[in-house]
Amino acid sequence: MEGRGDYSSNAAFVIAKKLGKPTLAAAEELAEKIYEKHQDIFYAIEVAPPGFLNFFLSLAFIEQQVLNFVKPEKKGPKAKLGRASIEFVSAN
């Protein structure tokens, strides 16, 4: 996978303290458990030192979410979808 995930989390830092485990070990365990339960949402969850989690959304999940918001105006093979605006914003 190139670059960063679609989402990132520092949850492993908090969990590691509560479990008394090293941050990387907690991150790996958390990533494995989340991926196991949510393979329909993520195609990967990577652990990045010192313990961040990078979440990569699956294309099928993204497509389904877009279709949930854009309702077809009519049914059938020539159905036209409503309008949708998708915007990417970078803080940098």
Side-chain angles (χ1 to χ4, degrees):
M1 279 150 274
E2 290 183 29
R4 300 180 184 159
D6 298 305
Y7 293 98
S8 183
S9 175
N10 66 345
F13 291 92
V14 175
I15 292 171
K17 285 183 183 179
K18 290 183 180 184
L19 297 177
K21 292 184 175 185
T23 307
L24 276 176
E28 289 170 359
E29 185 177 326
L30 186 58
E32 185 178 312
K33 287 182 179 183
I34 293 171
Y35 183 73
E36 189 176 288
K37 285 189 169 187
H38 300 287
Q39 291 181 28
D40 56 326
I41 298 173
F42 306 108
Y43 74 84
I45 302 174
E46 285 185 347
V47 174
F52 291 99
L53 297 172
N54 290 320
F55 297 89
F56 296 85
L57 296 174
S58 74
L59 183 57
F61 177 76
I62 294 169
E63 288 173 347
Q64 185 58 50
Q65 297 311 303
V66 170
L67 290 175
N68 286 343
F69 288 102
V70 182
K71 306 277 187 213
E73 294 174 359
K74 65 179 184 175
K75 305 247 183 221
K78 293 188 178 183
K80 292 184 179 181
L81 296 178
R83 292 183 173 209
S85 177
I86 300 172
E87 184 175 337
F88 173 77
V89 178
S90 175
N92 295 326

